[in-house]
Amino acid sequence: MLSKKEIKDIQSLSHKKARSETGLFVAEGPKIVSELIQIAPKQIQTIYAIEQWVAENKTVAATVLSDIELERISQLQTTNQVVAVVKQFESKEPNAGESFCLYLDTIQDPGNLGTIIRIADWFGIKDIVCSSDCVDLYNSKVVQATMASIARVNVYYDEEGIWLSKQQAPVYAATLGGNSIYEINKLTNGVLMIGNESKGLSDRTLAFATERITIPKKGAAESLNAAVATGIILSHLI
């Protein structure tokens, strides 16, 4: 049984301030927790689970809770068997001259950021740089959308807004009026910039672009979801 303090401490991780102060975040559900156990076991501080999950994962140390207790510490609308309190991952500043990176400008939808991290993982991209006003990496909805790719992709926040100015590699801006992605050769290094869900890339960010690129459209849709656009572009560039 959890104490009131334990419950309060875990619940507080739904807030960015508490996550920043403790260096912890919450991951939930059998799939994401099982993957984290496999790929980053040392990052996991504590696991809380219902008896069924514990019985199915006998080699994993976990605190058994009732459904009601687990629901109290869950950050999801529907509680999902297991909750893990995890240490945040070390973040390193990447160099676009050595690999292909994504630069995300003011991506504020948690589902989009999480999905983009998962897409990057699919295409073997190891580094993502986020502008300072992107949604927090450890927001519970971001974590869930990554489906454990959060442990495989380095996400660095450009808090001072100077990362792009230090890069010597080509910088490709995803815009509506750019050159067709079908005319660009495969890339091994450089930066792909993806903009805000409704406003696109800011003028300041666009100023760093060496080339503007686009996904040619045939229909009447005004725009594409940021994560969908990222996946389409990467499928042709990587």
Side-chain angles (χ1 to χ4, degrees), residues 102 104 107 109-120 123 145 192 194-197 215 223-235:
L102 295 181
L104 307 182
I107 297 296
D109 180 85
N112 270 343
L113 178 56
T115 302
I116 289 172
I117 292 170
R118 191 176 178 189
I119 289 169
F123 286 102
L192 170 62
I194 301 292
N196 174 266
E197 290 86 357
I215 304 167
S223 63
L224 284 173
N225 169 279
V228 171
T230 302
I232 294 172
I233 294 172
L234 290 181
S235 72

Side-chain angles (χ1 to χ4, degrees), residues 52-71:
Q52 178 187 341
W53 189 90
V54 173
E56 294 171 354
N57 297 268
K58 295 179 180 179
T59 60
V60 179
T63 300
V64 180
L65 300 181
S66 66
D67 289 343
I68 294 175
E69 287 179 308
L70 195 68
E71 186 176 345

Side-chain angles (χ1 to χ4, degrees), residues 29-49:
K31 180 171 177 54
I32 187 169
V33 172
S34 295
E35 279 209 53
L36 288 175
I37 290 170
Q38 292 179 27
I39 61 180
K42 293 182 179 179
Q43 297 296 122
I44 298 174
Q45 177 173 282
T46 318
I47 295 175
Y48 303 93

Side-chain angles (χ1 to χ4, degrees), residues 143-164:
V143 174
Q144 293 308 119
T146 70
M147 294 303 289
S149 290
I150 191 172
R152 286 184 287 259
V153 178
N154 172 53
V155 180
Y156 173 80
Y157 278 76
D158 182 23
E159 299 291 355
E160 297 180 1
I162 59 174
W163 185 82
L164 285 167

Side-chain angles (χ1 to χ4, degrees), residues 5-22 24 26 73 75:
K5 183 181 185 306
E6 286 177 304
I7 293 172
K8 184 178 179 181
D9 288 346
I10 298 168
Q11 289 175 337
S12 73
L13 296 177
S14 63
H15 303 289
K16 182 178 179 180
K17 181 180 179 181
R19 293 195 296 269
S20 298
E21 290 174 349
T22 61
L24 301 171
V26 170
I73 62 172
Q75 295 178 14

